[in-house]
Amino acid sequence: MTLKSKVQNPLIHPILFIFQVIQFVLDKLLSPTPPSPMTRLGRPRIAVVGGGITGVTSAAHCIGHGCDVQIFEAGKEENIGGIWSRVNNTSSLQIHSLMYRFHPSVNWKQGYPDKQQILSQVRELWKRYRLDERTHFDTPVTSARQDPETKKWTINNDAERYGQFDGIICGVGTCGKPKVPHMPGMDSFQGEIHHSSQLTGKAAKGKTLIIIGGGASAVESLEFAVEEGAARVYVLARSEKWIIPRHPIVNMLLAFNIFGQETRFSWIPEFFLRKLFYRELEDIAPPSDKKGLFTDTPMVNSDVMNQIRSGKVKWVRCDIGGFTETGVKINRREKGTNPSDPGHTEEIDGDMVVMATGYERPKLDFLPKDCLEGDYKPPNWYLQTFPPQFPSVSAINCTYMNGIGSVGNWHIGIYTRLLLVFLLDDRTRPYTFWMKRWIDMTAFLKARSPVGPFEFFTYLELMWWFFFSIAINPFRWKWAFFVFFGLGEYLPMKVAAAEDRLRNRLQAREAEDQGTMVNGIHHVREEEIRGRTMRIVT
């Protein structure tokens, strides 16, 4: 899809026209109306940690449903958008934007938007729901403490400044500071060394680039190299990683694995990927007996194959031995071998080395320690997001490990609304015991998974998790459409107000009945005393 802002002719661009219609309908049906400046937001009051896509989106959902919210962002205003504010200008979405609608009001102009378009959508959402008035910048959250009696949360031990909160949404994500491991000889290399997120403005035209790493950051670096006109690119990958085509139908079909793990039928999509997508490049595909498709997040990029076929990019399976003055020493290995196995030693010369070594994972150590230790620590949480000891905390997209078609999508709203339901209706709130049993049940059902039960999930599995958590508890049935679709702008507030009025009436009636009962007892006792007195006198 090309970048167009006008409504497309359905005859000339039918797919793009349908895409625009879908977005328009979703916006009108499911986007909560932003409150006016005079609207008084009610309970529950939510603290959102992080100003990235997850933090801004979840805060917008809270505001849209009439709940007060405060965002705590460790960086400055230019950091709104999280990791997308820190990547290269050439970076773009790897999965189709139809699967990356993190809020119903998002209006993508193309199938695979770039950094600027993604940030513009996040900032527009931030402004539209007046979150700029509720964001604390340069405020890293170092502690979140819950009062054992009131169950209220205090951020950074400063209730006087920030107030207290009924719940917390952790939106710190999975990508923090760039991770650049030190390797032998780096100081002696005569060329440039950059992290894969720091390539904007760097000159690569006509140069030989060496990319160390074989994951999503390597694909991002490869896109930069192609955009800038690099003469030759070497991708040095320590192990094989699945690459799937940039095609929305293929991505959705792979995300429909409801089991969220390798099964006896997983060989079918893997077979077709090798024969129809890799073709003559099948040697760089993971061995069938070592790494299945549903064990690790695949790279989503068709252009990788095109560049390898063109001869401009060479994908090398190897271990890094260290740097030389002109390049990198490697131990090249054959397919099916393990890292550090014996291979062929050689040296690759280059002008620029890109460290596609990923990012440090942000920590959740500001939460109470008892939810970060033991058998039920992240990602082994209820719905992978709620620590069983604290159902008033939702760490959306923070505990995510691997999956297909899942991050940054529709589920941000579902997780947020489910948290609101837990806070508003105590009858829907799961007990710690049952949250742990749900975790145990999921672990049992995925006991044969090659990885941990919560370390990989597909989108259909995630939807099943949500459905099961609603269907198993009759007290949550009335909230089903709200949780899944967000229907009703102020439904939580109206339900909470109605329940408060009903409880007040019941309490008043109970008090009245108790008062009547007490008066009746006093009257009976007076009659008994009067009767006894008359008998004594007689």
Side-chain angles (χ1 to χ4, degrees):
M1 294 180 184
T2 54
L3 181 60
K4 300 289 184 182
S5 57
K6 62 181 180 180
V7 178
Q8 296 300 305
N9 187 320
L11 299 178
I12 301 176
H13 300 286
I15 297 178
L16 187 56
F17 175 77
I18 294 172
F19 184 49
Q20 290 179 329
V21 171
I22 291 173
Q23 293 191 115
F24 176 82
V25 173
L26 290 176
D27 183 15
K28 296 302 179 184
L29 287 180
L30 304 180
S31 290
T33 302
S36 66
M38 303 302 295
T39 301
R40 182 177 180 182
L41 300 173
R43 69 175 181 91
R45 190 165 185 260
I46 310 295
V48 178
V49 184
I53 286 181
T54 300
V56 171
T57 303
S58 58
H61 281 295
C62 291
I63 291 286
H65 294 298
C67 305
D68 196 6
V69 68
Q70 295 288 312
I71 298 177
F72 297 86
E73 167 56 42
K76 302 183 181 299
E77 183 173 337
E78 57 264 26
N79 295 118
I80 288 294
I83 185 61
W84 283 104
S85 68
R86 305 193 298 273
V87 297
N88 307 306
N89 291 337
T90 56
S91 300
S92 61
L93 212 56
Q94 292 196 29
I95 64 172
H96 195 276
S97 56
L98 187 62
M99 300 178 70
Y100 205 77
R101 291 185 51 78
F102 48 83
H103 190 272
S105 66
V106 169
N107 182 22
W108 298 121
K109 300 295 190 290
Q110 65 188 98
Y112 298 92
D114 58 15
K115 166 188 174 178
Q116 298 305 326
Q117 191 179 161
I118 296 170
L119 286 180
S120 69
Q121 289 295 310
V122 178
R123 286 187 167 275
E124 185 175 331
L125 188 66
W126 186 60
K127 290 284 188 179
R128 181 183 181 190
Y129 286 88
R130 307 179 68 85
L131 295 171
D132 51 337
E133 302 172 1
R134 293 178 166 84
T135 303
H136 303 278
F137 292 108
D138 296 314
T139 310
V141 174
T142 57
S143 68
R145 299 289 179 264
Q146 186 184 50
D147 188 293
E149 295 182 1
T150 65
K151 302 301 181 183
K152 299 283 187 179
W153 291 91
T154 300
I155 299 297
N156 291 347
N157 295 318
D158 198 343
E160 182 177 349
R161 181 178 180 183
Y162 305 119
Q164 291 187 309
F165 300 90
D166 300 288
I168 298 176
I169 293 177
C170 304
V172 296
T174 60
C175 297
K177 297 179 181 179
K179 184 166 56 178
V180 184
H182 184 79
M183 297 182 178
M186 287 183 74
D187 297 336
S188 64
F189 180 61
Q190 299 300 308
E192 303 175 50
I193 301 177
H194 304 288
H195 187 264
S196 58
S197 65
Q198 301 166 340
L199 298 175
T200 297
K202 304 299 187 296
K205 186 175 179 62
K207 295 182 178 180
T208 297
L209 265 66
I210 300 175
I211 300 174
I212 297 179
S217 296
V219 172
E220 183 177 301
S221 306
L222 184 58
E223 290 176 334
F224 162 81
V226 173
E227 182 79 15
E228 294 297 316
R232 192 167 182 79
V233 180
Y234 291 92
V235 180
L236 310 183
R238 196 161 183 256
S239 59
E240 297 90 350
K241 193 176 180 72
W242 278 101
I243 305 173
I244 61 178
R246 236 181 183 183
H247 195 288
I249 296 178
V250 174
N251 301 159
M252 290 180 185
L253 288 175
L254 294 176
F256 281 167
N257 178 353
I258 195 172
F259 301 102
Q261 61 176 315
E262 285 285 298
T263 68
R264 65 180 62 183
F265 302 108
S266 297
W267 68 269
I268 299 175
E270 294 169 8
F271 172 82
F272 282 109
L273 282 173
R274 286 192 176 95
K275 299 304 179 183
L276 302 179
F277 183 58
Y278 282 87
R279 302 198 300 274
E280 78 280 6
L281 299 176
E282 190 174 338
D283 180 66
I284 68 173
S288 56
D289 60 337
K290 287 204 170 185
K291 180 180 288 187
L293 177 61
F294 299 102
T295 60
D296 193 9
T297 303
M299 295 181 289
V300 189
N301 199 301
S302 305
D303 197 46
V304 172
M305 298 301 190
N306 298 332
Q307 295 298 325
I308 295 175
R309 290 188 176 100
S310 71
K312 294 181 179 179
V313 174
K314 197 168 185 63
W315 199 280
V316 183
R317 182 189 303 105
C318 65
D319 302 313
I320 307 300
F323 282 69
T324 66
E325 291 186 357
T326 58
V328 177
K329 293 184 296 184
I330 66 170
N331 174 45
R332 186 192 291 262
R333 294 179 285 103
E334 297 296 325
K335 183 175 181 177
T337 56
N338 298 315
S340 301
D341 281 354
H344 174 67
T345 302
E346 61 182 87
E347 184 176 325
I348 296 179
D349 292 336
D351 305 300
M352 179 188 297
V353 174
V354 179
M355 304 293 289
T357 46
Y359 302 85
E360 296 178 4
R361 178 178 284 268
K363 296 181 179 180
L364 293 169
D365 53 2
F366 54 86
L367 293 175
K369 286 185 177 181
D370 49 352
C371 66
L372 302 174
E373 301 173 344
D375 295 332
Y376 302 97
K377 59 185 177 182
N380 299 328
W381 283 354
Y382 182 70
L383 298 178
Q384 202 198 39
T385 299
F386 296 91
Q389 301 89 337
F390 302 99
S392 58
V393 174
S394 184
I396 307 174
N397 290 338
C398 297
T399 59
Y400 174 83
M401 303 294 287
N402 290 289
I404 295 180
S406 49
V407 174
N409 203 341
W410 184 30
H411 71 268
I412 295 179
I414 296 180
Y415 273 128
T416 302
R417 291 188 292 268
L418 194 57
L419 174 66
L420 296 181
V421 169
F422 289 168
L423 296 176
L424 287 166
D425 189 348
D426 53 10
R427 290 172 297 178
T428 68
R429 197 174 306 154
Y431 292 103
T432 296
F433 175 83
W434 290 114
M435 293 173 82
K436 290 182 176 180
R437 299 296 77 77
W438 183 92
I439 297 169
D440 296 338
M441 178 195 69
T442 305
F444 174 77
L445 294 176
K446 299 183 70 174
R448 299 184 64 180
S449 174
V451 295
F454 294 93
E455 293 181 14
F456 185 96
F457 59 87
T458 55
Y459 212 79
L460 198 58
E461 182 194 10
L462 185 64
M463 292 301 102
W464 162 245
W465 285 2
F466 288 129
F467 174 80
F468 181 80
S469 68
I470 297 293
I472 198 174
N473 187 335
F475 292 112
R476 298 177 193 161
W477 291 352
K478 66 176 180 292
W479 294 102
F481 281 101
F482 172 73
V483 170
F484 282 104
F485 305 106
L487 296 178
E489 297 175 7
Y490 291 96
L491 178 62
M493 300 298 98
K494 292 178 181 178
V495 172
E499 290 182 346
D500 285 343
R501 289 195 296 270
L502 179 61
R503 287 176 179 176
N504 291 336
R505 284 200 295 268
L506 291 176
Q507 290 175 356
R509 184 177 298 177
E510 183 179 353
E512 182 179 346
D513 292 342
Q514 289 179 349
T516 302
M517 185 180 299
V518 170
N519 291 335
I521 293 174
H522 283 307
H523 180 73
V524 171
R525 287 180 176 175
E526 289 177 357
E527 291 294 329
E528 290 179 350
I529 294 173
R530 189 178 296 111
R532 291 175 182 174
T533 304
M534 291 297 295
R535 285 196 296 272
I536 293 173
V537 172
T538 303

